[in-house]
């Protein structure tokens, strides 16, 4: 079968793994757009990437662009022909310029006027010619997070140098030119094992030849191979590998021909806490840790991170490393990697033992030597502010906690930043503090709070499990947010180096998870007194809290309709109240559509009538004219009495009771004409409506919810 | 392979590939990048190929001779190829083969590394080269040096000689390296590590170092301003090393640290601009030698 495909391979020096998945999408999208714009028909588009190549494969690409008709309009019909029906000068001139003759002329209707014109059929150009012009533009406009130049006198940039281009259209080389190279039909296989260039004769042959030359083109296939290899080794040795998704993804794009190997380390190193070993393995060396069912050596209490590691098994003195090449027959690679790991572990052991010589509490003074953010003093100053916020928060939230005993955890939780292990493994901040604190015999509450105060670290990370941890996390995040805003730091759409977005979401998640009712803006204003630049903080509160509100809104929208969130967001400073009402909306609106729609309509109508009214007199029932007025008034009085019996925070019940008011109000609108001439009567009716409207709006802004007529 | 044979092999390999093989600068530097053969010669249109050992000092890395992998004084092997040849990765792999590293028996990786030197106002993109998980070389395409954009682009290869040699000799402790058949790295360097660590961390006199920093800084400015760029740049290097000593002594607070870095960076920029001007006045003589650019 003849090759109808387009195959393009950009051969590069090693592109960073994290650049590749987005690059695949870019290549697919931009080539799809190119062919569509050029009216070239095509079948399936698929791009692939390895560290050393970006590959585009498009099936069944047409040899010619599609024929297409273009319409050109000429003079108005009435001036195109003379009285005797012969073409005028104007028409003749138009035909000449369009390269058409009289028989091509058609009438074209534009609005209410007729013109003459021609339709010309433009034959599609050969695909090869089009691609020669447009593929180089596509290639040079691919963008990466970081780009570099490599050629003299050539401003072109790419993630890393491009060294080879292969391009086949329908099995024939297509000589596109880019990056100072001309594409041909040659490429190389695995850099170390098959470095000699070879000819590719078709797209099908490319994939076969690559496989033979130790390049697994598809990332999905490399992933499969890694997972299968790992499972096979693990089964053989009765171990279970910890194959974290993000690390697997990274390794997939670090290799062209992945082979998983098992390496070993001295069990003596298991005396170092698991999290340190795991960090050294996965963060620094991209190895996968493995656990076994049997205990390696007895561990001292607290060494496993106080229950933070999974209970499935103990860390085993082995690791899985993925090499870029075939099996390691002489075990040189596994042994070499083992030696590197041993060096890292020796360092870690030294750091850990050094750290253990000094208590966390004795490090607190050292926080005075670490500058926090310009204008916000040292880390010690920051810790003092966190402590003061913690002390304010506990009574506000009604949390009964022994502050005299626990408040200094605000200092202790930052002390591990001065330890050697955290300096080497910054990702272990908090977790090391927890381990050191429990080894030092600190109460469990304190040790756990140290680790938990950084939580939630991301969308998947849980909120702090302990009460003290949750309080400390809140205090820490409020301090961060208010402090940063007070000195002009704002997160942008693309960059948030201080984690302000995460802090705001963290505050919302913790308050909601704990059902802690806190008027956040009010609290933020009070909290400003903890800062030495309190005036600047006070001024920054509105913006900081708007930022917080936007995060809360986004958080709630994940599980509720946007308009419910919009209706409830502005009626309370307490995120729990907002969330409670939004949830009530979702629930009650589903309980009966007709009643719900009536409520929305009447609430909106009531608000629209009274929103511009000012200085309405107090309601005077003596001025009622119609039964419907009296009925409505009675309904309001009954309803008020009922509402008073419902606890404030029973949001669903309160909403259901509001729903009961919709019907009487609706009947009132049906029968009573509000805007009568008699001012006293009119104002009485308006005052009645306003009483209800205000009652509705103290719950939520119902008018923000769209409702059909 | 003995430590000194490693150096001979690299000298011979790079000499055959058109590099001039020179001797180290004889100044205290944190890395070969500070050597004028890299820092200054990367600038401008002239081609340049050089290879040499650079004894490098990182006072904060001292461990009193007790850590098997960390040293405050160690040896880099520095190569600059300008412009970077199209087959530079192959040529580099060839140098590993010349050291007896079989690329098929081992696992060699080019792992993303974005290099930046705040004190030199320089940055580049490239990789750490890993040999079975061990970082043995930094491989960088310089993009900017002394705040000046580069064209042509030079490539810098910086080999960590101790690490490569440990892997070749199969030893886990740097002090067990054999320099030749009879002398170990321990004999040559362990006492020095202890003494220098003691000086760097405990006995250096911050007042004197601060004074030296000021003196070196003003000398650098005076000389570069007066058109003596090369001696001026030597004072820049002294300034940078003095800053490193102050840093190791813990004499510079975190907030002041950046200010000192920026002071050195300004001197580096002055040197770079001065050197480029000098070469321009000379008519970029190496362009004529090579008959291009």
């Amino acid at each position: 079968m003849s090759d109808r495909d387009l195959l393009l391979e950009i051969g590069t020096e090693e592109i960073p793994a994290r650049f590749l998945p987005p690059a695949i999408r870019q290549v697919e999208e931009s080539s799809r757009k190119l062919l569509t714009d050029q009216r070239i028909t095509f079948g399936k588009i698929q791009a692939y990437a390895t560290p050393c190549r970006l590959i585009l494969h498009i099936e069944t690409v047409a040899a010619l662009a599609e024929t297409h008709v273009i319409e050109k309009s000429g003079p108005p019909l009435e001036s195109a022909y003379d009285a005797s029906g012969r073409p005028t000068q104007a028409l003749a001139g138009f035909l000449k310029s369009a390269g058409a003759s009289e028989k091509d002329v058609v009438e074209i209707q534009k609005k209410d006027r007729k013109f003459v014109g021609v339709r010309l059929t433009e034959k599609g150009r050969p695909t090869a010619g089009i691609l020669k012009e447009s593929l180089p533009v596509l290639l040079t406009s691919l963008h990466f997070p970081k780009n570099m130049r490599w050629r003299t006198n050539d401003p072109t940039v790419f993630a890393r140098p491009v060294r080879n281009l292969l391009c086949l259209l329908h099995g024939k080389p297509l000589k596109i030119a880019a990056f100072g190279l001309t594409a041909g039909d040659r490429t190389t296989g695995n850099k170390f094992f098959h470095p000699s260039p070879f000819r590719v004769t078709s797209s099908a042959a490319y994939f076969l030849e690559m496989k033979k030359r130790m390049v697994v083109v598809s990332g999905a296939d490399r992933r499969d191979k890694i997972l299968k290899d790992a499972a096979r080794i693990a089964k053989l040795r009765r171990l279970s590998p910890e194959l974290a998704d993000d690390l697997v993804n990274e390794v997939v794009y670090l290799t062209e021909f992945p082979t998983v190997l098992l390496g070993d380390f001295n069990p003596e190193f298991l005396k170092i806490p698991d999290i340190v070993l795991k960090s050294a393995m996965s963060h620094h060396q991209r190895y996968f840790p493995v656990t076994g069912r049997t205990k390696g050596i007895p561990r001292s209490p607290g060494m496993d991170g106080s229950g933070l590691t999974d209970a499935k098994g103990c860390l085993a003195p082995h690791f899985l490393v993925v090499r870029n090449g075939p099996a390691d027959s002489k075990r040189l690679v596994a042994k070499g990697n083992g030696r590197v790991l041993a060096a890292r572990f020796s360092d870690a052991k030294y750091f850990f033992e050094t750290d253990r010589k000094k208590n966390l509490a004795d490090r607190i003074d050292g926080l005075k030597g670490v500058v926090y953010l310009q204008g916000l003093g040292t880390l010690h100053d920051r810790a003092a502010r966190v402590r003061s916020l913690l002390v304010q928060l506990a009574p506000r939230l009604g949390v009964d906690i022994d502050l005299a005993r626990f408040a200094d955890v605000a200092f202790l939780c930052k002390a591990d930043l001065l330890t050697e292990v955290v300096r080497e493994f910054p990702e272990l901040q908090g977790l090391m503090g927890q381990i050191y604190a429990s080894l030092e015999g600190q109460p469990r509450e304190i040790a756990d709070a140290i680790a938990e105060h950084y939580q939630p670290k991301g969308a998947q990370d849980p909120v702090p499990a302990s009460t003290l941890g949750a309080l400390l996390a809140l205090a820490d995040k409020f301090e961060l947010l208010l402090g940063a805003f007070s000195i002009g730091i704002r997160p942008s759409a693309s960059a948030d180096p201080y984690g302000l977005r995460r802090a705001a979401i963290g505050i919302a998640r913790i308050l909601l998870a704990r059902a802690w009712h806190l008027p956040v803006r009010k609290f933020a204003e009070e909290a400003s007194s903890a800062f030495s630049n309190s005036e600047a903080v006070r001024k920054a509160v509105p913006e900081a809290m708007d930022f917080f509100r936007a995060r809360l809104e986004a958080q709630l929208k994940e599980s509720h309709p946007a308009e419910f969130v919009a209706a409830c967001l502005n009626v309370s400073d307490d995120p729990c109240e907002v969330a409670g009402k939004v949830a009530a909306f979702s629930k009650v609106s589903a309980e009966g559509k007709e009643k719900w729609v009536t409520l929305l309509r009447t609430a909106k109508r009531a608000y629209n009538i009274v929103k511009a009214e000012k200085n309405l007199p107090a309601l005077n029932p003596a001025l009622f004219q119609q039964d419907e007025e009296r009925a409505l008034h009675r309904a309001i009085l009954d309803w008020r009495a009922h509402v008073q019996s419902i606890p404030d925070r029973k949001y669903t019940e309160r909403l259901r009771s509001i729903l009961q008011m919709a019907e009487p109000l609706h009947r009132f609108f049906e029968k009573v004409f509000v805007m009568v001439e008699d001012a006293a009567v009119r104002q009485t009716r308006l005052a009645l409506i306003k009483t209800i409207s205000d009652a509705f709006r103290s719950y939520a802004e119902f008018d923000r919810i769209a409702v059909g007529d | 392979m003995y430590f000194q044979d490693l150096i001979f092999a690299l000298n011979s390999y790079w000499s055959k590939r058109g590099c001039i093989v020179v001797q180290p600068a004889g100044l205290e530097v944190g890395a070969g990048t500070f050597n004028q053969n890299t820092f200054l010669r990367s600038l401008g249109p002239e081609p340049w190929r050089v290879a040499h050992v650079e004894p490098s000092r990182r006072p904060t890395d001292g461990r009193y001779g007790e850590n098997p992998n960390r040293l405050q004084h160690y040896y880099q092997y520095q190569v600059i190829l300008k412009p970077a040849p199209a087959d530079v990765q192959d040529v580099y792999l060839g140098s590993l083969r010349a050291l007896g590293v079989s690329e098929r028996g081992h696992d060699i990786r080019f792992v993303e590394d974005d290099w930046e030197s705040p004190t030199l106002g320089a940055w580049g993109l490239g990789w750490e080269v890993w040999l079975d998980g061990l970082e043995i070389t930094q491989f960088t395409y310089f993009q900017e040096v002394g705040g000046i954009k580069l064209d042509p682009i030079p490539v810098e290869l910086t080999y960590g000689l101790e690490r490569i040699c440990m892997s070749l000799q199969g030893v886990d402790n740097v002090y067990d390296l054999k320099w030749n058949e009879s002398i170990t790295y321990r004999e040559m360097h362990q006492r020095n590590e202890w003494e220098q660590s003691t000086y760097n961390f405990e006995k250096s006199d911050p007042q004197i170092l601060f004074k030296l920093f000021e003196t070196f800084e003003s000398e650098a400015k005076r000389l570069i301003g007066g058109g003596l760029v090369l001696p001026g740049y030597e004072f820049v290097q002294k300034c940078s090393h003095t800053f490193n000593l102050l840093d190791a002594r813990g004499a510079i607070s975190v907030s002041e640290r950046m200010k000192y870095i920026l002071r050195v960076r300004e001197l580096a920029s002055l040197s770079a601009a001065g050197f480029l001007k000098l070469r321009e006045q000379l008519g970029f003589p190496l362009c004529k030698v090579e008959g291009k650019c």
Side-chain angles (χ1 to χ4, degrees), chain A residues 106-123:
Chain A
V106 292
E107 278 180 23
I108 297 169
Q109 182 81 38
K110 279 192 197 168
K111 290 196 179 146
D112 49 3
R113 208 163 168 204
K114 279 185 177 159
F115 291 77
V116 294
V118 290
R119 291 206 182 90
L120 299 173
T121 306
E122 198 178 67
K123 243 186 118 188

Side-chain angles (χ1 to χ4, degrees), chain A residues 363-386:
Chain A
R363 296 182 189 274
I364 290 173
D365 217 38
L367 294 172
K368 290 177 182 161
V370 186
V371 172
Y372 172 46
L373 291 171
Q374 193 84 42
L376 292 174
T378 64
L379 277 186
H380 194 273
D381 297 325
R382 164 153 149 83
R385 292 189 293 264
V386 172

